[in-house]
Amino acid sequence: GKDVITMTAGKQAADIGKVPDAMTHALRSLLGEERFLTDAESLAHYGRDWTRFVAPAPSGILLPISISEIQTIVSLARQYKVKLVPSGGRTGLSGGAMAAKGELVLSLERMRKILQVDKAGRSLTCEGGAITGEIHRAAAEHGLMYPVDFASSGSSQIGGNIATNAGGIQVIRYGMTRNWVTGLKVVTGTGELLELNQGLVKNNTGLDLRHLFIGSEGILGVIVEATLGLTDPPKTPRVMVLGVPSMASLMHVLTGCQAQLSLLAFEFFSDLALQKVTTGQGIQPPFKDRYPFYALVEFESASAEAETQAEQLVEGCMTQGWVDDAVLSQSESQRRSLWRLREDISETIAQWTPYKNDISTTVQKTPALLSKVDALVARHYADLEVVWYGHIGDGNLHLNILKPDTVSVEEFQARCKSVSHHVFRVVQELGGSISAEHGVGLLKKDFLHFSRDPAEITLMRGIKAQFDPDGIFNPGNVFNA
Ligand code: 2HG
Ligand code: ZN
């Protein structure tokens, strides 16, 4: 536990809280004592996400159970000029669900029902607080799959996934959350309920407002219900982990896998990532020897032919010197254990309060991104532990810098932030993104201009003002309104 920020939520909230008595009374009669929480423990719990760079300080936690309760809450917030932070499973990594300035947290935790699965239409409708993992299970009961998946799916909620356009470990095959949202119900900053696209496959009737809410990070309103597309589960997925001598080799291996396998995932991690995860989780390393990098490749292997093809591909890569060692899962339980080597990294390193980078460029430019950022890292972080991993098949790298015990969070953040300028200049030169899948939130907003030009940001402000004229929702996130 290297968590240096002290969690003084209750005390700060008492200082900052700006909820007028009349609104408190109205909320109490709407929600009762048990769904309007103000005790210090709840404020600390619901006031933050997985980030640890600001302390939570909400004024209260609201737990509505219906859309009409949410509309009433928004009307009250408008009337009394109180800010709301929409809140899901709070597994975000950019501070998008932090309530640090006396806001009210609007939690969707009590609105988690799966409402319907339509087998012929291959879709599922649920409340905004439905847990991602429960959506996976409900789809599986009907022989179908909701294909957006990531390590935090056991606690993340669909509303948050949609509000951040979540990516995850199978984007290379299935795309981001955006590809799977066919309908949304949202409550905007005026308290209006909008029904967007109603689950339709075909609907060419002007601007598609649904897509504005996907990736909106809670600044336009709150997602209260969603309809999602479902697909067939993959046939006989298998995982290979490959020991790889260099980042350049990883890209050659990716090209080969794209050409010869039915790919489901192509992930990578560095040797330090592997060391941390095997030690931290008490799991067996895949190889006796160590290699600078590892690729985790998942593919469909429905026939003996597909398996032979994978083996031949690996042999070919070994001949070229791109792969030094390989292991192929022989059972479902082995497939799951191999996945843990990659999926458990983020949680394992959280104890070092890492500084997170989540950068991307096109797959074509990924080798350039890797080598340029690697050079910067070698120059600026020579004395620090740097953990590389990510979705290299999507051109998306996670670069985590671990905080030494001896340095405070503030000092460490300031140092890393100054290095970020160099990293993001490289990202900008390559036409990439400073936040590939974690969103902008509070953490990345000072850097937004590296990825979006001033004309775009002005338009975004205008759109925010249209949906949320009083600036109630998630103030200070993404950009200053
Ligand atoms: C992952 O890919 C998540 O594991 C978390 O997006 C990445 O912790 C991170 O930086
Ligand atoms: Zn990721």
Side-chain angles (χ1 to χ4, degrees):
K2 319 277 187 329
D3 214 331
V4 172
I5 294 179
T6 41
M7 298 294 165
T8 52
K11 188 177 167 295
Q12 284 188 22
D15 299 336
I16 303 172
K18 294 186 197 80
V19 183
D21 288 347
M23 181 168 177
T24 302
H25 289 310
L27 288 171
R28 288 241 180 277
S29 62
L30 181 71
L31 302 170
E33 293 292 327
E34 66 290 353
R35 293 195 289 115
F36 177 20
L37 312 175
T38 52
D39 61 288
E41 204 182 311
S42 298
L43 297 180
H45 176 70
Y46 289 94
R48 66 173 205 208
D49 57 14
W50 277 5
T51 56
R52 291 293 179 270
F53 62 98
V54 283
S59 291
I61 316 302
L62 314 177
L63 300 164
I65 52 170
S66 68
I67 293 173
S68 77
E69 280 187 357
I70 291 178
Q71 290 181 283
T72 307
I73 291 167
V74 173
S75 304
L76 289 168
R78 269 194 104 179
Q79 186 183 346
Y80 293 104
K81 301 191 174 4
V82 169
K83 313 285 183 197
L84 298 174
V85 175
S87 178
R90 302 184 316 284
T91 57
L93 296 167
S94 294
M98 286 297 306
K101 292 189 170 163
E103 305 92 337
L104 287 170
V105 173
L106 179 56
S107 170
L108 274 281
E109 194 176 86
R110 305 283 172 98
M111 293 177 63
R112 53 196 281 180
K113 285 196 281 296
I114 309 284
L115 300 169
Q116 188 197 314
V117 177
D118 171 1
K119 224 179 150 181
R122 306 183 133 219
S123 78
L124 177 152
T125 301
C126 60
E127 292 183 306
I131 306 283
T132 316
E134 286 175 10
I135 293 170
H136 290 154
R137 272 191 292 281
E141 279 169 18
H142 293 81
L144 292 167
M145 180 178 75
Y146 175 63
V148 181
D149 194 14
F150 31 74
S152 60
S153 63
S155 49
S156 82
Q157 297 175 8
I158 194 66
N161 296 176
I162 294 170
T164 55
N165 187 25
I169 53 178
Q170 291 191 326
V171 171
I172 197 170
R173 176 63 162 263
Y174 300 105
M176 307 279 277
T177 298
R178 183 181 302 282
N179 294 8
W180 299 92
V181 178
T182 59
L184 284 182
K185 285 189 189 170
V186 301
V187 173
T188 69
T190 62
E192 251 165 330
L193 174 66
L194 303 180
E195 295 192 32
L196 307 175
N197 202 58
Q198 301 103 313
L200 297 172
V201 176
K202 302 182 119 179
N203 177 21
N204 287 343
T205 52
L207 301 183
D208 193 338
L209 302 179
R210 157 186 55 155
H211 285 292
L212 283 180
F213 277 82
I214 304 170
S216 62
E217 300 189 53
I219 66 170
L220 304 181
V222 55
I223 294 163
V224 295
E225 198 179 295
T227 300
L228 307 166
L230 304 176
T231 188
D232 295 314
K235 295 201 180 66
T236 330
R238 295 181 78 177
V239 165
M240 302 192 280
V241 172
L242 312 172
V244 173
S246 67
M247 289 181 175
S249 309
L250 278 168
M251 298 311 294
H252 291 300
V253 178
L254 171 62
T255 308
C257 288
Q258 284 282 32
Q260 291 176 51
L261 303 178
S262 172
L263 265 188
L264 292 162
F266 192 96
E267 302 275 317
F268 91 113
F269 45 95
S270 64
D271 189 49
L272 184 58
L274 180 72
Q275 276 187 54
K276 296 282 181 199
V277 81
T278 50
T279 314
Q281 304 290 332
I283 41 186
Q284 203 62 32
F287 308 115
K288 201 160 46 48
D289 293 326
R290 287 164 46 180
Y291 304 98
F293 297 98
Y294 304 86
L296 184 151
V297 185
E298 188 173 47
F299 60 102
E300 282 184 297
S301 174
S303 61
E305 206 178 309
E307 184 173 340
T308 313
Q309 196 146 19
E311 282 163 5
Q312 282 171 354
L313 170 70
V314 172
E315 277 163 29
C317 288
M318 285 179 160
T319 312
Q320 296 285 344
W322 299 330
V323 168
D324 290 325
D325 214 338
V327 55
L328 173 62
S329 67
Q330 300 298 332
S331 66
E332 181 57 17
S333 85
Q334 271 180 21
R335 185 180 76 91
R336 286 181 190 279
S337 325
L338 289 175
W339 258 121
R340 286 194 63 194
L341 299 172
R342 165 64 186 86
E343 277 214 286
D344 290 4
I345 298 169
S346 182
E347 197 182 313
T348 308
I349 62 172
Q351 62 179 302
W352 285 277
T353 330
Y355 184 82
K356 295 197 167 289
N357 291 277
D358 167 33
I359 54 179
S360 70
T361 186
T362 58
V363 174
Q364 193 185 24
K365 290 177 182 165
T366 301
L369 181 67
L370 280 169
S371 64
K372 288 184 175 175
V373 175
D374 194 32
L376 284 173
V377 165
R379 181 138 48 94
H380 293 279
Y381 293 130
D383 58 326
L384 297 181
E385 286 192 307
V386 173
V387 181
W388 288 91
Y389 53 106
H391 319 281
I392 194 162
D394 310 321
N396 177 192
L397 315 175
H398 296 309
L399 176 63
N400 278 252
I401 322 298
L402 307 190
K403 189 182 78 58
D405 288 351
T406 46
V407 184
S408 73
V409 170
E410 293 74 16
E411 197 183 322
F412 178 66
Q413 288 280 335
R415 173 176 170 188
C416 294
K417 250 187 137 168
S418 70
V419 180
S420 272
H421 281 94
H422 302 292
V423 173
F424 291 161
R425 208 157 292 133
V426 166
V427 169
Q428 187 176 34
E429 278 162 18
L430 293 169
S433 173
I434 59 132
S435 186
E437 59 172 7
H438 297 164
V440 178
L442 297 173
L443 190 60
K444 295 287 154 64
K445 72 171 179 174
D446 294 344
F447 302 110
L448 186 60
H449 62 277
F450 282 102
S451 282
R452 309 299 295 267
D453 70 34
E456 281 186 285
I457 297 172
T458 302
L459 284 166
M460 287 194 224
R461 284 206 175 89
I463 291 167
K464 159 87 173 161
Q466 286 279 316
F467 282 91
D468 182 18
D470 299 310
I472 291 168
F473 274 112
N474 228 11
N477 262 262
V478 187
F479 47 76
N480 293 320

